[in-house]
Amino acid sequence: MADSDVIKTDLLIVGAGPAGAALACFLAAHGRTGIIIASAPGTADTPRAHITNMAALECLRDVGLEKECTDVATHSSHMEHTRWCRSMAGEEFARAHSWGHDPKQKGHYQSASPCSHADLPQTLLEPILTKRAVHQGWTLRFNTKFITMTRPSRDVIISEVHDELLNKTYKIQSRFVFGCDGARSQVVRDLGIPMIKKPGQGLALNVFVKADLSHLVENRSGNLHWVMRPDESDYPAWGWACLVRMVRPWDEWMFIFMPTPGVDVTADVMSASGDEYIKRVKETIGDNSVNVKLLSVSKWWINEIVAEYYSDGNVFCFGDSTHRHPPFNGLGSNTCIQDAYNLAWKIEHVMAGKAGPALLNSFSKERQPVGVDIITRANQGFRDHALWLETLGMMEPDAEKRKQILAEFDDPGEKGRKRRADFQRGIENTDTEYHGLGIEMNQRYISDAVYQADQGEAPPPPADPVRTHQVTTYPGRRLPHAWLNTRLPGKKLSTIDLAGHGRFCLLTGPSGQAWKQAAGNIAKTLGVDVVSYSIGWKQDYEDVYFDWARKREVEEDGCVLVRPDRFVAWRSKSMVDDPEGSLEKVLRSVLSL
């Protein structure tokens, strides 16, 4: 292969989905560009991921993409319920508030973040991310497969890629490679990264259709609808039960069919003709007057898989290439985006000489445990539905017995009372999926990129770590959100908005001016961007609701040092004798200098 067939760049991203495209956007915000290759012919052509949570939107907010995303997303108000029903047009068994709409939960969601949940299908998210990346200077090549790589040295990686349009193989030399190439990641296979696998939970079938159901959802609002007919005896093996997901209100829908329990999902029974899919969709809708247009059909495995580690030298893997799980709790693309956000500032600081290479070791140490948590939670979210399925009779193979079980719900006596109470408990048991604020926001980092040596024991996790958001400034935790304003009120802004933007941020109070002076001096000494703000009475920003005073966990003369990814690097409960010396020690440790 001639030298002319070798292209040189610092940064090569393999994969242009939410993980790879988001990384390109975050690196571009630091002024870093490179090459993205993707084996796909373009951005996502099916909706796939859709729930976009507050943690992910905070990352996109940092680079000015939040509004563009929420402008095209379905508003949170359309996500207010999850329903259980006989058909989309038929009887309703139950409904539950979801995604922060429970009146008992709204305050927790609103106080957790300046952002709100949105329903943003991957078909709309990916073009936003790739457009921003390309406009900021990234080169994006679709129809291009990663084949293999060699690593002559840590800072020289030679990747062999194949352009399928030109039928040409060429090489790309880079300093870094990022494996964001999905569940069948060739980069992960090439590195030989071991995967931690638990038994899968079967196969599901996505049937994507165009069908106007606006007349049905007027009094049935929500973006997720479980459709069950326990007394049904004649149904295809692939269409035992269905979760109907709103893609675009109210004329694009994903019918996620689950096969009969115990059926051989590798057999021909999992396949059908287009007419058969449409027939089952219409049965699920329950209104034959609705015109249904089939857009696509795809199958996916319900996995519980996570990589043992996410990086090897200067190769970093994340997104679906390292964590694979069902969509319950809506954690997939959100975790991809947060993986990228965690890594981008570290790559920038190392490339700019503002940090030592050892800083990059913290990526896997911080994000792999998050991957373990989210695949565990997503699969448990799936298992949490077992109780109501059993109570409704759906797990009973005999149709006559299912009818008898369903009839018990009508019994006014003890038998019916127990059946109805068990069903209620089963529905309530799924609340961890729809109000998992803790699993979304409680990431805890333990690595050399946070300074915990002088902090004492970390606060214990909440009694319900899935539902409960733990607000703390303990190092390695997410910076708490608090609304601030100026003395002469203007547009309110969040503590989240003070931090980020590719720089460290120090927050203190009226008695902590020495911290601000120290931060300025250390920024010059180390060549690291550090901004500082005082919050409180007649300070840079006013704590008008006193939220920051309740959340900061330090005195007015203490400080909270925040990393560029808005996670707390270190804090001091109060003023110390040598603030500049303390701050320098911490930053040198965090940055591996």
Side-chain angles (χ1 to χ4, degrees):
M1 186 173 292
D3 290 343
S4 60
D5 289 328
V6 179
I7 297 171
K8 295 183 179 181
T9 184
D10 282 326
L11 305 168
L12 172 63
I13 298 175
V14 183
L23 178 64
C25 293
F26 298 142
L27 286 168
H30 296 290
R32 301 289 177 181
T33 59
I35 299 171
I36 311 171
I37 63 169
S39 60
T43 54
D45 58 358
T46 57
R48 304 178 203 172
H50 65 117
I51 300 295
T52 308
N53 67 29
M54 299 181 294
L57 282 170
E58 285 182 8
C59 301
L60 299 173
R61 180 186 182 97
D62 191 35
V63 294
L65 284 175
E66 180 196 16
K67 185 177 186 301
E68 190 169 350
C69 288
T70 55
D71 281 350
V72 299
T74 297
H75 191 267
S76 175
S77 61
H78 293 317
M79 304 162 64
E80 66 175 329
H81 291 120
T82 297
R83 300 174 58 247
W84 289 260
C85 53
R86 186 176 178 81
S87 69
M88 291 296 289
E91 301 169 340
E92 183 172 275
F93 303 135
R95 67 172 65 183
H97 292 288
S98 52
W99 314 115
H101 288 279
D102 187 331
K104 300 186 296 295
Q105 299 280 355
K106 281 187 177 181
H108 298 304
Y109 278 73
Q110 292 171 356
S111 64
S113 174
C115 305
S116 300
H117 281 74
D119 193 312
L120 180 62
Q122 203 164 324
T123 43
L124 299 178
L125 172 62
E126 285 187 14
I128 290 173
L129 298 177
T130 53
K131 181 181 72 172
R132 165 63 70 88
V134 170
H135 286 183
Q136 293 292 316
W138 281 81
T139 297
L140 172 57
R141 305 284 291 185
F142 287 114
N143 294 109
T144 303
K145 285 186 175 180
F146 172 90
I147 300 172
T148 189
M149 74 176 85
T150 57
R151 292 185 281 179
S153 68
R154 180 183 175 98
D155 289 335
V156 177
I157 305 171
I158 308 295
S159 298
E160 187 174 323
V161 305
H162 182 74
D163 186 315
E164 294 189 310
L165 289 179
L166 298 176
N167 193 25
K168 178 179 179 181
T169 298
Y170 59 97
K171 293 182 178 181
I172 300 176
Q173 177 180 318
S174 61
R175 181 177 175 183
F176 298 98
V177 170
F178 307 97
C180 310
D181 47 338
R184 292 181 290 274
S185 171
Q186 180 59 32
V187 177
V188 168
R189 288 199 295 267
D190 205 58
L191 291 173
I193 295 178
M195 307 301 286
I196 303 169
K197 300 181 180 181
K198 293 187 178 180
Q201 299 189 70
L203 187 74
L205 184 71
N206 282 355
V207 179
F208 182 31
V209 305
K210 195 167 188 66
D212 185 1
L213 305 186
S214 56
H215 64 295
L216 298 180
V217 297
E218 182 178 358
N219 298 311
R220 299 174 173 91
S221 60
N223 64 337
L224 294 172
H225 310 256
W226 286 94
V227 178
M228 304 286 157
R229 284 198 290 278
D231 54 350
E232 185 179 33
S233 57
D234 184 20
Y235 55 85
W238 52 264
W240 164 75
C242 188
L243 175 59
V244 182
R245 167 195 150 192
M246 180 271 295
V247 176
R248 300 298 289 169
W250 299 106
D251 61 354
E252 288 187 7
W253 298 85
M254 184 74 80
F255 287 71
I256 306 170
F257 288 105
M258 281 148 275
T260 304
V263 73
D264 181 3
V265 295
T266 64
D268 291 340
V269 295
M270 289 303 296
S271 298
S273 67
D275 288 343
E276 289 172 316
Y277 288 131
I278 290 176
K279 179 176 182 291
R280 189 58 175 161
V281 166
K282 285 192 170 185
E283 290 171 350
T284 304
I285 293 171
D287 181 349
N288 286 328
S289 69
V290 175
N291 182 50
V292 176
K293 179 181 179 182
L294 183 64
L295 299 178
S296 69
V297 177
S298 59
K299 299 173 184 177
W300 54 276
W301 292 96
I302 303 172
N303 289 317
E304 190 166 357
I305 300 172
V306 66
E308 285 192 9
Y309 50 86
Y310 283 14
S311 62
D312 184 335
N314 275 7
V315 184
F316 301 85
C317 300
F318 57 95
D320 287 355
S321 70
T322 54
H323 41 81
R324 303 160 200 171
H325 52 87
F328 297 91
N329 281 89
L331 299 170
S333 63
N334 293 294
T335 305
C336 297
I337 291 168
Q338 292 170 79
D339 286 342
Y341 192 59
N342 176 283
L343 181 57
W345 75 270
K346 298 172 182 178
I347 293 292
E348 160 58 19
H349 275 69
V350 170
M351 291 184 70
K354 298 177 181 179
L359 172 64
L360 300 178
N361 297 335
S362 67
F363 171 67
S364 184
K365 291 179 180 178
E366 293 181 351
R367 293 304 298 176
Q368 194 273 349
V370 174
V372 172
D373 287 347
I374 64 109
I375 68 148
T376 302
R377 176 57 235 160
N379 278 274
Q380 185 57 48
F382 180 54
R383 289 187 282 266
D384 284 345
H385 289 271
L387 181 56
W388 69 260
L389 283 166
E390 291 172 1
T391 306
L392 204 56
M394 290 298 294
M395 306 305 292
E396 171 58 56
D398 184 85
E400 289 305 314
K401 289 184 179 179
R402 290 199 302 271
K403 291 178 182 178
Q404 292 171 15
I405 290 171
L406 190 61
E408 287 183 6
F409 280 86
D410 297 333
D411 185 341
E414 182 59 32
K415 188 178 289 187
R417 186 180 298 118
K418 183 179 186 306
R419 181 68 62 179
R420 291 185 294 272
D422 287 347
F423 182 63
Q424 178 180 337
R425 280 192 294 272
I427 297 299
E428 291 171 344
N429 193 51
T430 67
D431 185 62
T432 49
E433 177 185 352
Y434 310 116
H435 282 103
L437 187 56
I439 192 66
E440 293 177 6
M441 304 292 284
N442 287 351
Q443 292 86 359
R444 179 170 60 99
Y445 294 163
I446 300 175
S447 77
D448 290 338
V450 294
Y451 195 89
Q452 299 173 333
D454 58 355
Q455 296 296 307
E457 288 190 16
D464 187 344
V466 174
R467 291 183 179 91
T468 306
H469 176 211
Q470 186 172 34
V471 180
T472 178
T473 58
Y474 190 86
R477 305 302 289 267
R478 185 184 304 277
L479 173 67
H481 154 64
W483 286 118
L484 308 174
N485 215 310
T486 49
R487 192 69 172 179
L488 292 176
K491 184 178 180 180
K492 66 180 179 180
L493 80 164
S494 170
T495 47
I496 300 298
D497 298 319
L498 296 182
H501 312 296
R503 61 201 183 189
F504 284 82
C505 175
L506 183 140
L507 303 177
T508 188
S511 309
Q513 298 307 305
W515 287 116
K516 295 178 67 175
Q517 182 64 44
N521 293 340
I522 294 304
K524 294 176 183 177
T525 299
L526 300 183
V528 176
D529 291 335
V530 185
V531 295
S532 56
Y533 302 101
S534 180
I535 300 173
W537 187 264
K538 291 189 177 180
Q539 299 302 299
D540 299 323
Y541 292 97
E542 300 273 344
D543 184 19
V544 291
Y545 298 107
F546 307 110
D547 279 347
W548 179 241
R550 287 185 285 266
K551 295 178 179 181
R552 69 190 183 210
E553 298 180 326
V554 300
E555 300 296 334
E556 282 192 343
D557 61 349
C559 74
V560 177
L561 179 66
V562 188
R563 303 189 323 187
D565 61 351
R566 296 168 169 156
F567 273 70
V568 177
W570 175 70
R571 66 182 180 180
S572 179
K573 290 292 186 72
S574 58
M575 182 58 67
V576 297
D577 292 336
D578 182 10
E580 188 169 325
S582 297
L583 202 54
E584 181 174 1
K585 178 183 178 181
V586 167
L587 277 170
R588 286 188 180 277
S589 176
V590 167
L591 293 171
S592 298
L593 292 172

